[in-house]
């Protein structure tokens, strides 16, 4: 069955979801890795919060919740890279990207739909189980309000948009660089540090903490975790989500402009 028009993008997302669902051994290994890393971080946080209660504005239960939200979103939001950035670089290197550009579909939207399918599977396949195991082993501050969970899922969607746009830009760098592995490494280190994956950004000292929370990487973990923990409400919640959406839209448009430049480069070289 052929899919036409705008219906092609949901089909791409579903196909991507099914693709990742076939890697059962890799999914199981990912769940184990996320869970083990979550336990290591949890006991580290327990020791740290016993010495410094209310560090970063979190009590111990909230800090542990932050840890397990991070493990649930680790693969979903690609906090350590991979996904579209690596795949696009490889297709550029092999020349297969020319086929992608000739598809009767928008190049960027195709990749975004594919990344949404990947993210959806990882949220369910590699996110739910570690979170449940963390909740069984530790006293987590998980909300009972369904509305807060709804806002959390909205924040996660925006996180995927921001992450995709940055990783898409990383992938596009291969059009100009012989080897874009260095760009990928810089992205991974920056994402791990400024997303809150290693430590909540509010723990950073002084103005540096404020600056870090204004950067786009905060939208990939810090904001969803804080939304789930109920640290924002009313105008504050609307403001932080608006900032994340603003970063997502801005980066998506920048990536679109860079993609147009890359396409012109291919056309010129091909001509």
């Amino acid at each position: 069955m052929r899919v036409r028009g705008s219906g092609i993008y949901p089909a791409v997302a579903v196909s991507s979801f099914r693709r990742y669902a076939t890697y059962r051994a890799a999914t199981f290994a990912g769940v184990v890795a996320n869970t083990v890393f979550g336990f290591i971080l949890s006991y580290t946080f327990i020791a740290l919060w016993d010495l410094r209660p209310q560090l970063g504005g979190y009590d111990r239960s909230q800090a542990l919740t932050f840890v397990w939200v991070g493990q649930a979103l680790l693969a979903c939001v690609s906090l350590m890279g991979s996904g579209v950035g690596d795949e696009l670089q490889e297709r550029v290197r092999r020349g297969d990207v020319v086929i992608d550009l000739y598809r009767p579909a928008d190049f960027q939207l195709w990749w975004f739909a594919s990344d949404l399918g990947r993210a959806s599977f990882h949220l369910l396949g590699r996110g739910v189980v570690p979170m449940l195991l963390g909740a069984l082993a530790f006293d987590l501050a998980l909300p009972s309000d369904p509305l807060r969970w709804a806002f959390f899922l909205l924040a996660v969607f925006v996180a995927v948009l921001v992450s995709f746009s940055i990783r898409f830009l990383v992938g596009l760098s291969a059009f100009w660089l012989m080897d874009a592995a260095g760009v990928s490494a810089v992205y991974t280190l920056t994402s791990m540090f400024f997303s809150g994956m290693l430590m909540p950004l509010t723990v950073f000292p002084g103005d540096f903490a404020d600056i870090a929370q204004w950067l786009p990487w905060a939208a990939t973990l810090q904001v969803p975790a804080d939304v789930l923990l109920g640290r924002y409400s009313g105008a504050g919640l609307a403001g932080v989500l608006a900032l994340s959406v603003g970063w997502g839209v801005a980066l998506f448009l920048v990536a679109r402009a860079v993609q147009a430049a890359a396409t012109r480069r291919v056309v010129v070289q091909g001509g």
Side-chain angles (χ1 to χ4, degrees):
M1 181 179 66
R2 301 185 64 180
V3 181
R4 299 180 182 272
S6 59
I8 192 172
Y9 304 113
V12 170
V14 171
S15 176
S16 179
F17 185 98
R18 290 175 176 172
R19 170 192 167 195
Y20 282 91
T22 61
Y23 301 114
R24 298 177 183 176
T27 300
F28 177 76
V31 169
V32 172
N34 285 102
T35 303
V36 170
F37 193 53
F39 272 88
I40 293 173
L41 275 179
S42 292
Y43 286 114
T44 302
F45 274 40
I46 287 172
L48 183 57
W49 258 260
D50 283 345
L51 292 174
R52 296 282 303 277
Q54 298 300 319
L55 179 64
Y58 301 94
D59 60 30
R60 192 171 81 168
S61 181
Q62 291 173 325
L64 290 173
T65 305
F66 195 102
V67 168
W68 290 99
V69 170
Q71 295 312 300
L73 298 184
L74 181 63
C76 171
V77 190
S78 290
L79 295 176
M80 298 181 68
S82 74
V84 61
D86 292 345
E87 291 182 35
L88 182 53
Q89 285 181 27
E90 184 62 21
R91 293 189 69 79
V92 172
R93 187 186 66 80
R94 296 198 309 257
D96 296 340
V97 71
V98 175
I99 300 173
D100 301 337
L101 292 170
Y102 274 104
R103 286 195 186 109
D106 184 274
F107 182 74
Q108 186 183 23
L109 290 179
W110 176 285
W111 279 98
F112 182 48
S114 178
D115 201 57
L116 279 178
R118 178 206 59 79
S120 299
F121 172 75
H122 283 317
L123 181 62
L124 297 174
R126 289 184 57 176
V128 173
V129 173
M131 176 69 84
L132 290 176
L133 292 175
L136 290 173
F138 303 97
D139 180 23
L140 302 187
L142 295 175
S144 57
D145 183 4
L147 185 60
R148 197 188 299 179
W149 282 101
F151 280 122
F152 168 70
L153 292 177
L154 174 61
V156 170
F157 173 79
V158 177
V160 173
L161 173 62
V162 172
S163 173
F164 163 79
S165 299
I166 299 175
R167 287 178 289 116
F168 190 66
L169 283 167
V170 170
L172 290 174
S173 68
F175 280 96
W176 288 272
L177 301 175
M178 293 295 294
D179 185 358
V183 179
S184 297
V186 170
Y187 163 77
T188 299
L189 290 174
T190 306
S191 175
M192 289 173 62
F193 189 79
F194 285 108
S195 65
M197 174 184 165
L198 301 178
M199 190 68 65
L201 300 181
T202 54
V203 173
F204 294 166
D207 294 338
F208 186 65
D210 296 330
I211 294 172
Q213 291 179 81
W214 278 91
L215 296 176
W217 293 278
T220 61
L221 174 55
Q222 182 73 43
V223 171
D226 282 345
V227 168
L228 186 65
L229 288 169
R231 290 171 62 88
Y232 297 105
S233 61
L237 176 61
V240 73
L241 289 177
L243 177 62
S244 297
V245 171
W247 272 120
V249 172
L251 289 167
F252 193 88
L253 293 177
V254 169
R256 197 166 191 81
V258 174
Q259 175 212 313
T263 303
R264 288 193 296 270
R265 181 181 177 86
V266 171
V267 171
V268 170
Q269 290 181 345

